[in-house]
Amino acid sequence: MKLLSRPARAIGTTVVAGLALALVTATPSAQAAEIGSLSFTSLTTQNSPFSVTTSGACPGGATNFQIKLAGGNIPVDAGNIVGNTSGGTIGSGINAGGFTVPVSNTLQVFATSNGLTALADGTYTTTLVCRALLVGTSLGDYVGTFTVSNSGATVTPVVPVVTANTAVAFTVAATSGWGQALALSATVSNTTDPSGAKPTGTVAFKEGATVLATATVGANGVAATTYGLLGLGSHTLTAAYTPGVGAAFNGSNSTDSSVTIALAAPTLLRPATLSGAVKVGGTAVCSPGVWSGATSYTYEFLKNGVVAQTSTTDFDIVLAAGDLNKTLSCRVTGTNPIGDGSPSTTSAVKIAAGSAAIATKAPRILFSGSAANVGETLKVYKGVWSPAATYTYNYIWKRGTTVVKQGATATSYKATAKDKGKKLTLTVQVKRTGYTTATKTSAAVTVK
């Protein structure tokens, strides 16, 4: 069953004259965010005609509205006072600002038409749903409440919290390179009182219903962020403002903005870096940095400014003994099917000596019998060194702190009378071109 209201007519801020209470049993609209409040005029009893006034305009795209009533003893399927009929269609009037809807009949008539003697005592919620004609999705709701008491003799509207209207100005580049960070910026303004409080909350940047990114509204009213994942082609974006918790502002949406994403040569956003072990025997690593629009990279390693290695896959290099004291840098070029970006070159770093060898078994002084004796020729055990490599060795024999023999061929030492009762030690120096010299000293041996 549907009781139709009379056609709407906008007159100043009063946009619908003499709307009758109507029961509409069509499918309810999908709920949207509450964007403002409703106030009531002349609503004192169930028998008094009244009107409702919104605190702001319906969002862009809204062409009509419905007013729903819920609570108390109202049947669940009898929620519309003003339905989706010509009586609820007022064209652009609902988009111009707060508007008033007079209701010619009464709550009593509404209750009777729904099989009730009267609305029972309690609290009731009135919702004006902004929507497009014959489309069930709500574009935004204005909500107000009233209470019924003393068996319906008194109706008391709840005074709504007055919230300021807002507007969103959205800016975005008309064209952008694929993969580049797209700058998104929205300015949220207080349109009810431009000199008053500044809106707080967040802005969601959207493509259709998909949220691409969000940003907080700053003290200057601007919410800004970047987004770099739009595909090639044309896109229609909007910015939607949501007030902060407890903020006295209505939400609002920007008009559509179009941006075309085109393939362009890569752009460097953060420079390349050189890391790893920049020393002989070490592996240096070149990181490409951050690029927009790059699909591949070319890595070049330069020694003393001359290219020594170029690759699109190898981003590291092992440094040889001959590289000692040279400088090393890396250069990265981002590439895509359009072309190359400007190369990014790291600062040059001096290549240090490689790490010294490590004795996994320490050197020892070798002698026959249970002790080293005067006149005995003592031998060298040079130890075991890691990593396995070709080394040259230097041997240093000491009596206490006095060097008594040394050299690459000093692999033995004949103990003399001067050594009797003294401690002998053997120090082995391990050398390898391009690497730090390693040194290890044996345990001391007392000559008998």
Side-chain angles (χ1 to χ4, degrees), residues 397-404 422-425:
W397 296 83
K398 289 183 181 181
R399 179 193 308 123
T401 59
T402 302
V403 175
V404 294
K422 304 293 176 60
K423 293 182 182 294
L424 295 179
T425 58

Side-chain angles (χ1 to χ4, degrees), residues 334-431:
T335 303
N336 68 23
I338 292 297
D340 298 339
S342 298
S344 175
T345 304
T346 68
S347 299
V349 178
K350 187 176 181 179
I351 299 173
S355 299
I358 297 173
T360 57
K361 291 185 179 180
R364 298 199 309 270
I365 296 174
L366 302 179
F367 49 86
S368 60
S370 60
N373 297 303
V374 172
E376 182 178 357
T377 298
L378 307 177
K379 303 288 185 179
V380 165
Y381 173 71
K382 62 186 177 184
V384 177
W385 298 85
S386 177
T390 301
Y391 299 104
T392 58
Y393 300 89
N394 186 54
Y395 308 101
I396 303 172
W397 296 83
K398 289 183 181 181
R399 179 193 308 123
T401 59
T402 302
V403 175
V404 294
K405 188 177 182 179
Q406 66 177 326
T409 59
T411 56
S412 64
Y413 173 73
K414 186 174 182 178
T416 67
K418 292 182 179 181
D419 299 319
K420 186 172 182 178
K422 304 293 176 60
K423 293 182 182 294
L424 295 179
T425 58
L426 169 66
T427 298
V428 179
Q429 293 178 329
V430 179
K431 299 181 180 180

Side-chain angles (χ1 to χ4, degrees), residues 12-16 19 34-41 50-59 62 64-68 88 90 92-103 126-131 140-144 160-165 192 250:
T13 59
T14 301
V15 294
V16 181
L19 284 178
E34 182 177 333
I35 59 174
S37 61
L38 284 178
S39 59
F40 300 86
T41 302
F50 66 97
S51 62
V52 294
T53 301
T54 65
S55 60
C58 280
N64 81 311
F65 62 87
Q66 63 187 132
I67 302 177
K68 302 187 296 183
I90 57 175
S92 62
I94 62 175
N95 306 122
F99 57 94
T100 298
V101 180
V103 181
T126 304
T127 305
L128 186 146
V129 181
C130 297
R131 45 165 291 158
D141 296 342
Y142 288 96
V143 179
V161 176
V162 177
T163 54
N165 293 325
T192 297
N250 294 320

Side-chain angles (χ1 to χ4, degrees), residues 90-416:
I90 57 175
S92 62
I94 62 175
N95 306 122
F99 57 94
T100 298
V101 180
V103 181
S104 60
N105 286 323
T106 65
L107 296 177
Q108 180 62 59
V109 172
F110 175 76
T112 301
S113 68
N114 284 285
L116 305 173
T117 302
L119 298 186
D121 289 356
T123 300
Y124 294 81
T125 300
T126 304
T127 305
L128 186 146
V129 181
C130 297
R131 45 165 291 158
L133 185 61
L134 301 181
V135 175
T137 301
S138 173
L139 301 177
D141 296 342
Y142 288 96
V143 179
T145 57
F146 62 84
T147 60
V148 175
S149 58
N150 299 321
S151 300
T154 302
V155 176
T156 306
V158 176
V159 178
V161 176
V162 177
T163 54
N165 293 325
T166 59
V168 181
F170 176 36
T171 57
V172 63
T175 59
S176 182
W178 174 76
Q180 295 181 6
L182 188 65
L184 305 172
S185 179
T187 301
V188 184
S189 58
N190 178 345
T191 59
T192 297
D193 182 8
S195 64
K198 301 298 182 184
T200 60
T202 58
V203 170
F205 298 97
K206 303 191 294 184
E207 181 174 18
T210 302
V211 176
L212 305 179
T214 59
T216 300
V217 179
N220 59 353
V222 176
T225 186
T226 58
Y227 185 78
L229 298 178
L230 286 177
L232 295 174
S234 298
H235 301 265
T236 300
L237 308 182
T238 57
Y241 164 64
T242 299
V245 176
F249 297 97
N250 294 320
S252 55
N253 297 301
S254 72
T255 57
D256 292 346
S257 292
S258 296
V259 58
T260 299
I261 305 300
L263 198 61
T267 300
L268 180 69
L269 302 178
R270 191 162 66 238
T273 58
L274 182 66
S275 61
V278 187
K279 62 182 181 181
V280 173
T283 300
V285 179
C286 185
S287 298
V290 177
W291 297 72
S292 65
T295 56
S296 62
Y297 302 98
T298 298
Y299 301 90
E300 296 175 290
F301 285 95
L302 297 86
K303 297 176 182 177
N304 287 344
V306 179
V307 176
Q309 177 179 302
T310 302
S311 177
T312 57
T313 56
D314 293 335
F315 49 83
D316 54 19
I317 187 172
V318 177
L319 302 173
D323 296 325
L324 180 63
N325 294 326
K326 291 181 180 179
T327 60
L328 180 71
S329 59
C330 73
R331 182 165 61 206
V332 180
T333 304
T335 303
N336 68 23
I338 292 297
D340 298 339
S342 298
S344 175
T345 304
T346 68
S347 299
V349 178
K350 187 176 181 179
I351 299 173
S355 299
I358 297 173
T360 57
K361 291 185 179 180
R364 298 199 309 270
I365 296 174
L366 302 179
F367 49 86
S368 60
S370 60
N373 297 303
V374 172
E376 182 178 357
T377 298
L378 307 177
K379 303 288 185 179
V380 165
Y381 173 71
K382 62 186 177 184
V384 177
W385 298 85
S386 177
T390 301
Y391 299 104
T392 58
Y393 300 89
N394 186 54
Y395 308 101
I396 303 172
W397 296 83
K398 289 183 181 181
R399 179 193 308 123
T401 59
T402 302
V403 175
V404 294
K405 188 177 182 179
Q406 66 177 326
T409 59
T411 56
S412 64
Y413 173 73
K414 186 174 182 178
T416 67

